[in-house]
Amino acid sequence: MLELIEKFVLLGVGTLSMGQRKLEETVNEITKQLHLREDEGKKLLDRLQKIVDENQQKLESLAREEVQKACSRFGLITPEDLEALRKRLDTLEQRVQKLENPQETQDT
């Protein structure tokens, strides 16, 4: 299920990338039709690119939040949660080993 959600997010990001090429083509057409100077066309492209970048960041943030919500609803853990559990397990194993073999830990 998580993989399906990740693929959906990547599809959205890929669509935005295709949108970038289309944006450049559109700006080039507008520049030609309106007889804009090259620097004016560049400024227009830069402004539009900034808007696209901001929207892409918002989309990625929203997608991350939705994935986290879905994981929570389905009882799935995140890689960060798994790493935290591994660290706790390592700590507990070390404590158990010290309790079971107190002489070995004192010798070292």
Side-chain angles (χ1 to χ4, degrees):
M1 179 69 182
L2 184 59
E3 289 178 18
L4 180 62
I5 295 170
E6 287 177 5
K7 286 180 183 179
F8 178 73
V9 170
L10 291 175
L11 177 64
V13 172
T15 302
L16 285 174
S17 296
M18 286 178 29
Q20 167 64 27
R21 285 189 292 254
K22 185 67 176 167
L23 176 66
E24 289 175 5
E25 291 172 8
T26 303
V27 168
N28 286 336
E29 288 178 29
I30 291 171
T31 301
K32 288 177 186 176
Q33 290 177 2
L34 296 178
H35 306 290
L36 297 176
R37 293 187 323 257
E38 186 176 332
D39 63 323
E40 292 172 324
K42 174 88 170 100
K43 285 180 185 177
L44 176 61
L45 180 61
D46 289 344
R47 279 185 287 181
L48 292 175
Q49 180 61 50
K50 183 178 178 181
I51 292 169
V52 168
D53 290 343
E54 289 171 357
N55 287 331
Q56 182 175 359
Q57 290 173 357
K58 289 177 186 176
L59 176 63
E60 289 173 3
S61 177
L62 288 172
R64 243 182 261 111
E65 289 175 20
E66 288 304 315
V67 168
Q68 288 174 345
K69 288 178 187 176
C71 287
S72 178
R73 280 194 302 270
F74 292 115
L76 303 174
I77 62 171
T78 64
E80 293 83 11
D81 293 338
L82 182 59
E83 183 60 29
L85 286 173
R86 283 185 179 141
K87 288 179 181 180
R88 286 184 64 197
L89 181 59
D90 288 343
T91 301
L92 290 172
E93 286 176 338
Q94 290 172 3
R95 290 176 69 187
V96 167
Q97 186 176 10
K98 287 179 183 178
L99 290 172
E100 289 177 345
N101 303 311
Q103 292 297 328
E104 289 181 21
T105 56
Q106 289 177 356
D107 293 340
T108 56

